Amino acid sequence: MARSAKPRKPEESSSSSESVGRFSYQGLDRVMHEKARLGILASLAANDHGVLFNDLRQLCSLTDGNLSRHLRVLSEAGLVEIWKGSTGSRPQTMYRLTSEGRQRFADYITVLEKVVADAQPQAKPETDQPRFAGGWSPT
């Protein structure tokens, strides 16, 4: 009986070039491009002084576990820093963008703006539209 290959964990199977992912636009970072992480980064970018875990959970509409996992990924990528403190006897955790995270997020937004600009219909005459060779036609 042949043994099947043991499934690898994502971190075991991805090289640095694979973990970045393939997109049509250079600069679309897989770490930031996931919907929940993009929401977390946007929330943190709007709050320079940081956001408490519970507030971030509400802003992003995520469960505790889901938010924790995404924050761990962002922290490991150097985008988010974690601050521990307390209010009275209650421990609290606050998250902020690192300076690198803020710059990378700004660069990422610039790429997204290019994607949106390129996707906008241009008011060009029909003759300026690209033509396809070899019998291609719209359906």
Side-chain angles (χ1 to χ4, degrees):
M1 178 193 257
R3 284 182 25 170
S4 61
K6 178 182 172 187
R8 292 183 179 175
K9 294 179 184 173
E11 54 273 7
E12 292 174 346
S13 63
S14 62
S15 69
S16 61
S17 64
E18 290 174 358
S19 64
V20 172
R22 292 186 215 151
F23 290 104
S24 296
Y25 289 81
Q26 291 288 5
L28 289 180
D29 186 332
R30 280 260 189 232
V31 171
M32 289 186 261
H33 200 67
E34 200 285 330
K35 179 184 172 186
R37 290 194 287 263
L38 189 55
I40 292 166
L41 291 168
S43 296
L44 294 176
N47 294 282
D48 288 340
H49 299 294
V51 181
L52 294 174
F53 182 89
N54 289 336
D55 296 335
L56 194 54
R57 183 187 65 215
Q58 287 182 324
L59 285 169
C60 298
S61 298
L62 297 169
T63 64
D64 287 0
N66 203 346
L67 178 58
S68 293
R69 176 66 184 127
H70 288 300
L71 286 166
R72 188 176 324 121
V73 169
L74 294 169
S75 177
E76 289 170 357
L79 300 172
V80 171
E81 59 188 11
I82 303 165
W83 292 70
K84 299 284 186 176
S86 62
T87 302
S89 62
R90 295 193 72 184
Q92 293 194 321
T93 307
M94 182 180 63
Y95 296 87
R96 290 185 354 180
L97 287 178
T98 62
S99 56
E100 176 190 353
R102 188 167 295 283
Q103 182 60 53
R104 283 179 57 192
F105 184 65
D107 293 345
Y108 179 81
I109 295 300
T110 300
V111 174
L112 285 181
E113 289 171 341
K114 172 126 178 66
V115 171
V116 170
D118 289 350
Q120 296 297 315
Q122 301 297 320
K124 295 182 180 179
E126 187 65 29
T127 57
D128 289 348
Q129 296 298 317
R131 297 284 178 210
F132 295 103
W136 287 91
S137 64
T139 58

